[in-house]
Amino acid sequence: MSQQSFVNAKQAIEAHANGSSDSFRSTKRFYDDANFPKGFKRCGDFTSKEADLLEQHGQAMKNLADGTQLPCNVDEDQFVQVLQGKMTPSTPMELLWAKYCRLAKGKPFYAVVGTIHTPTSPKVEIEFDDVEDDSADNDESE
C-alpha cells in the first residue's frame, strides 16, 4: 500500500469514527457475543479504532449484508456490491467487514484424513486344559 493510500484510508477511518459521514448509520451498537464473547476490543483481533467502528456501524453493515436495510448512499451501495462479489473490498469499512466475517467463521478444523477403523477381532478363547497338559508333560520328562 502506498503512503498516500495509507493516509487516505486513515482519514476515512477517522471521518467515520468522528461521525462526519452519513454512511452506515445505526441507532444501536453492534455486539457479537457468540463469536467474540469478550468484545471486539478485548479479543485481540481488532485495533481499538476497528473495534469502535464495528460497535458503532456494525449493525448497519450487518443489516446491509442481510438485506434488511437498503443502501441509502454511494458508500453503502458499493458495500453491498462488495458483499455480492461484484467488487473487491477497497474502503476501510469494506475491509473491516471482510476481516470481521473471516474471523467470525472461526479457525478451520483440520481432521486426520485416512484414519482406518478396524473392526473388532473375534474373541480368542484359550483352553486352560491345554496349558496344564504341557506343563504336566515337562514335569514327567525330568
Side-chain angles (χ1 to χ4, degrees):
M1 182 186 274
S2 70
Q3 182 66 27
Q4 183 61 33
S5 52
F6 178 74
V7 170
N8 289 342
K10 186 175 180 183
Q11 289 173 351
I13 288 176
E14 288 174 0
H16 280 293
N18 294 333
S20 63
S21 179
D22 289 337
S23 300
F24 305 103
R25 286 189 160 223
S26 178
T27 56
K28 62 185 218 178
R29 293 211 173 257
F30 178 65
Y31 300 104
D32 186 0
D33 293 332
N35 297 310
F36 301 96
K38 294 180 181 178
F40 298 122
K41 288 183 181 178
R42 298 186 74 202
C43 72
D45 294 322
F46 300 100
T47 64
S48 180
K49 284 198 183 243
E50 288 175 337
D52 288 338
L53 284 174
L54 267 177
E55 287 181 12
Q56 291 175 2
H57 305 289
Q59 190 63 42
M61 290 189 284
K62 180 181 179 290
N63 291 341
L64 286 168
D66 293 344
T68 56
Q69 178 180 336
L70 295 175
C72 62
N73 58 26
V74 177
D75 292 337
E76 291 180 1
D77 187 45
Q78 182 177 336
F79 181 79
V80 171
Q81 289 181 3
V82 168
L83 293 175
Q84 293 172 348
K86 297 178 182 176
M87 298 175 64
T88 58
S90 59
T91 66
M93 296 299 270
E94 295 164 0
L95 293 169
L96 177 60
W97 189 254
K99 180 179 180 179
Y100 163 75
C101 290
R102 181 176 33 97
L103 293 172
K105 289 181 183 176
K107 294 181 181 175
F109 175 76
Y110 297 103
V112 178
V113 179
T115 304
I116 300 171
H117 298 285
T118 57
T120 58
S121 59
K123 277 189 166 180
V124 178
E125 294 185 19
I126 301 174
E127 295 181 20
F128 291 106
D129 294 340
D130 293 341
V131 175
E132 292 175 11
D133 291 342
D134 289 341
S135 64
D137 291 339
N138 287 341
D139 290 339
E140 293 176 5
S141 62
E142 290 180 6

